[in-house]
């Protein structure tokens, strides 16, 4: 971290410093909420969770070389300087906001109902052709993860790409207050988090809070194919750049290469580039256009943008295609909603061997959740997937939708473990398998079971 002394930190979070006054000018080297990640010179911010209270680990981090800790309580005989605050969660946000205010590097903020992570990876890959880039790791995109991401920015970084995820009104406003993105990207307004946001108009309103702290010289990049985003006009004098058919940045000559990826020609105001995207799914052409728009906003050359798109890599749980023994596994099990589920099924349907969809419940869909699962099942049948395996209470409707759509090989199980046992017996050499469900379904365990099966078969 740059120039963050204990004195600065105490001032930023309105805390009371307790300890050796001579250490007030100590500059911390990092900040974490996980005691296992503490290194020498770090600041530890204990968070109270549902099952664990981080305050219980303060003695341990002292032994690990932490420079100081925050605390919501008085600490007797503390071996470290500490800063007393009312809320460590709020203090984390305040510290991150203060730290961000000192940074001159461009920050790209990405939100949307679907495709945030894939677009983040694409944009980071493009920008890395010119800059030393920091990007959001894993699912660190909420009111705890985002500030921790900002605090990971070091002096060597020249740009940052941060993912911003929400589920209710006001959250994006708070995230934007911390990140103050120079470039705002919205991928789409889909069907998710309906429990709180109620409708796509509600989702649009909540996502648009990303503009609350946009600078007058900032940039806005929007998916022009989304009819909700297409309604956005100038924001604080900033004219959005739209990508998609008939927009400033568009793609044609799209060639789906199945599970191997997709190629396209991307047209921009500076010229056109032919790209070979090494991630399956035509929706990645949209992600590539968004990345091109961001690159152009930072005055990058087209050849560098092309190279960044072609060098992007999928990450585990996000449309990650693996050749595992005799199986092709499309690991997309980090999260799910009806829009992302359809996109993944589109990819699976281009597989060469027998296609098997292993799906599970989708969360936070509100009062229409059963109907949305049923419609997803009908889409599985429509795409002529060879077999469907699903588990979870809501997935009973998913299975029924597939059966009513004329699909014959539909297997429904109440429990994930039952699904795994029958799936392992069903699969055969050359199958292409999609694994996807919302995070709470813990479908990475399905992927691990498939990997184990193939490893045993090869031994």
């Amino acid at each position: 971290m740059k120039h963050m002394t204990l004195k600065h930190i105490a001032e930023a979070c309105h805390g009371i410093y307790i300890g050796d006054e001579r250490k007030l000018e100590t500059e911390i080297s990092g900040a974490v909420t996980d005691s296992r990640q503490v290194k020498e010179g770090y600041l530890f911010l204990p968070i109270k969770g549902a099952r664990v209270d981080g305050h219980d680990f303060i003695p341990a981090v002292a032994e690990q070389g932490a420079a100081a800790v925050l605390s919501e309580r008085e600490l007797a005989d503390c071996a470290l300087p500490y800063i007393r605050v009312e809320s460590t969660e709020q203090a984390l946000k305040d510290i991150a906001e203060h730290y961000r205010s000192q940074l001159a590097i461009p920050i790209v903020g990405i939100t949307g109902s679907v495709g945030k992570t894939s677009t983040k990876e694409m944009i980071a890959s493009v920008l890395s052709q010119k800059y030393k880039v920091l990007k959001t790791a894993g699912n660190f995109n909420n009111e705890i993860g985002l500030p921790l991401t900002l605090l990971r920015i070091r002096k060597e970084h020249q740009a940052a790409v941060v993912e911003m995820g929400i589920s209710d009104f006001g959250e994006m406003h708070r995230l934007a207050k911390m990140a103050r993105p120079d470039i705002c990207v919205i991928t789409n307004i889909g069907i998710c988090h309906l429990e709180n946001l109620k409708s796509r108009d509600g989702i649009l309103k909540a996502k648009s809070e990303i503009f609350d702290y946009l600078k007058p010289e900032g940039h806005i990049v929007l998916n022009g194919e989304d009819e909700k985003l297409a309604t956005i006009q100038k924001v604080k004098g900033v004219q959005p750049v739209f990508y998609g058919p008939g927009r400033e940045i568009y793609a044609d000559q799209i060639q789906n290469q199945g599970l191997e990826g997709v190629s396209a020609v991307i047209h921009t105001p500076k010229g056109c580039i032919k790209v070979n995207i090494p991630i399956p799914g035509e929706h990645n052409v949209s992600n590539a256009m968004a990345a091109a728009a961001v690159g152009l906003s930072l005055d990058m050359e087209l050849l560098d943008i092309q190279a960044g798109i072609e060098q992007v890599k999928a990450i585990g749980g996000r449309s990650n295609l693996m050749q595992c023994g005799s199986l092709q596994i499309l690991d997309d099990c980090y999260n799910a909603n009806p829009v992302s589920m359809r996109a993944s099924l589109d990819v699976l349907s281009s597989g060469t061997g027998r296609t098997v969809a292993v799906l599970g419940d989708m969360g936070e869909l509100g009062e229409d959740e059963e109907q949305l699962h049923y419609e997803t099942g009908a889409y599985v049948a429509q795409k002529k997937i060879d077999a469907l395996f699903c588990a979870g209470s809501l997935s009973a409707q998913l299975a029924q939708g597939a059966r009513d759509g004329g699909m014959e090989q539909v297997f429904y199980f109440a429990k994930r473990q039952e699904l795994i046992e029958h799936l392992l017996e069903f699969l055969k050499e050359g199958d292409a398998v999609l694994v996807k469900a919302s995070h709470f379904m813990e479908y990475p365990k399905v992927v691990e079971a498939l990997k184990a099966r193939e490893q045993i078969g090869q031994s």
Side-chain angles (χ1 to χ4, degrees):
M1 294 175 63
K2 300 179 180 179
H3 314 303
M4 286 292 282
T5 65
L6 294 180
K7 181 180 179 181
H8 290 144
I9 290 166
E11 291 173 350
C13 65
H14 313 290
I16 300 172
Y17 177 84
I18 300 170
D20 188 342
E21 296 289 326
R22 294 171 297 180
K23 293 186 177 181
L24 272 170
E25 297 304 320
T26 299
E27 193 171 300
I28 65 166
S29 54
V32 294
T33 57
D34 186 336
S35 63
R36 296 166 296 183
Q37 297 174 354
V38 169
K39 297 179 182 178
E40 188 170 349
Y42 272 38
L43 173 70
F44 175 58
L45 300 97
I47 303 292
K48 286 183 181 178
R51 289 177 288 183
V52 178
D53 185 346
H55 289 79
D56 297 339
F57 298 94
I58 288 176
V61 303
E63 295 179 5
Q64 292 166 234
V69 299
L70 263 61
S71 177
E72 295 178 2
R73 60 176 79 144
E74 294 288 344
L75 300 177
D77 302 320
C78 184
L80 295 170
Y82 73 96
I83 298 170
R84 178 74 187 274
V85 295
E86 289 188 13
S87 164
T88 52
E89 283 194 33
Q90 184 58 48
L92 170 62
K93 299 174 192 177
D94 292 339
I95 294 167
E97 181 182 348
H98 174 77
Y99 184 54
R100 167 60 178 119
S101 70
Q102 302 178 71
L103 302 174
I105 67 171
I107 291 184
V108 182
I110 304 169
T111 192
S113 300
V114 180
K116 290 187 295 295
T117 300
S118 300
T119 305
K120 173 204 70 182
E121 293 297 318
M122 194 82 75
I123 292 173
S125 184
V126 165
L127 297 190
S128 67
Q129 302 300 308
K130 180 178 180 180
Y131 303 99
K132 176 72 175 178
V133 179
L134 178 129
K135 62 183 180 181
T136 298
N139 63 339
F140 276 52
N141 63 6
N142 59 17
E143 292 189 64
I144 298 294
L146 176 70
L148 288 172
T149 297
L150 295 173
L151 294 174
R152 286 175 50 224
I153 297 174
R154 302 289 187 264
K155 62 182 179 180
E156 67 266 21
H157 293 125
Q158 299 168 306
V161 184
V162 299
E163 190 177 322
M164 303 166 74
I166 62 165
S167 59
D168 206 348
F169 296 106
E171 286 182 62
M172 185 61 72
H173 176 87
R174 295 189 290 273
L175 294 177
K177 187 171 185 285
M178 288 184 277
R180 297 179 186 264
D182 300 276
I183 304 171
C184 297
V185 181
I186 306 183
T187 60
N188 48 53
I189 303 298
I191 305 171
C192 62
H193 304 305
L194 294 179
E195 285 181 331
N196 297 320
L197 303 178
K198 305 303 181 186
S199 68
R200 288 185 69 210
D201 287 328
I203 295 169
L204 175 65
K205 181 179 178 182
K207 298 287 187 186
S208 295
E209 292 173 5
I210 194 173
F211 306 135
D212 289 355
Y213 291 90
L214 179 67
K215 302 169 186 174
E217 66 275 17
H219 300 270
I220 298 172
V221 175
L222 304 175
N223 182 352
E225 198 168 3
D226 186 292
E227 76 275 13
K228 296 297 183 182
L229 292 176
T231 65
I232 296 176
Q233 304 299 318
K234 277 188 178 181
V235 179
K236 298 181 178 178
V238 177
Q239 179 65 49
V241 171
F242 288 95
Y243 60 90
R247 297 295 189 167
E248 297 99 306
I249 295 174
Y250 67 95
D252 59 15
Q253 300 180 48
I254 298 170
Q255 295 184 333
N256 194 328
Q257 298 163 358
L259 298 183
E260 300 304 316
V262 59
S263 65
V265 174
I266 297 178
H267 299 259
T268 81
K270 287 184 67 173
C272 61
I273 48 175
K274 180 171 184 179
V275 295
N276 293 302
I277 305 168
I279 304 174
E282 290 189 20
H283 59 281
N284 282 300
V285 176
S286 181
N287 300 339
M289 288 189 284
V294 171
L296 290 173
S297 72
L298 292 174
D299 297 321
M300 290 186 63
E301 298 297 326
L302 286 177
L303 287 178
D304 288 334
I305 292 172
Q306 178 189 44
I309 291 171
E310 294 189 337
Q311 292 173 25
V312 69
K313 293 180 173 61
I315 59 175
R318 306 278 189 164
S319 297
N320 181 27
L321 179 64
M322 300 177 289
Q323 186 66 48
C324 190
S326 65
L327 299 176
Q328 281 188 308
I329 302 173
L330 187 60
D331 173 12
D332 199 7
C333 57
Y334 173 73
N335 221 333
N337 60 51
V339 177
S340 66
M341 195 75 89
R342 289 187 178 217
S344 295
L345 289 164
D346 289 344
V347 174
L348 177 64
S349 68
S350 64
T352 50
R354 193 172 60 159
T355 53
V356 181
V358 183
L359 310 180
D361 289 1
M362 299 176 282
E364 300 183 6
L365 294 181
E367 59 185 19
D368 293 329
E369 59 184 7
E370 291 191 358
Q371 179 63 26
L372 290 168
H373 279 79
Y374 181 89
E375 291 172 0
T376 300
Y379 193 74
V380 177
Q382 181 184 327
K383 297 302 293 185
K384 301 196 181 304
I385 304 300
D386 292 305
L388 169 64
F389 282 73
C390 52
S393 57
L394 290 169
S395 289
Q397 288 299 314
L398 200 156
Q400 191 59 50
R403 292 190 186 101
D404 290 350
M407 191 171 181
E408 295 181 358
Q409 296 196 89
V410 178
F411 307 94
Y412 169 75
F413 307 91
K415 303 290 185 182
R416 183 191 62 245
Q417 189 55 41
E418 293 178 58
L419 178 152
I420 290 174
E421 291 170 4
H422 286 81
L423 176 65
L424 296 181
E425 293 180 4
F426 177 84
L427 292 175
K428 62 184 181 181
E429 186 175 340
D431 285 351
V433 186
L434 165 67
V435 185
K436 189 168 181 66
S438 280
H439 191 58
F440 67 87
M441 292 295 294
E442 298 184 338
Y443 266 37
K445 293 181 179 179
V446 177
V447 176
E448 291 306 313
L450 294 176
K451 288 181 180 178
R453 171 189 186 269
E454 293 304 296
Q455 287 170 354
I456 292 172
Q458 292 175 339
S459 63

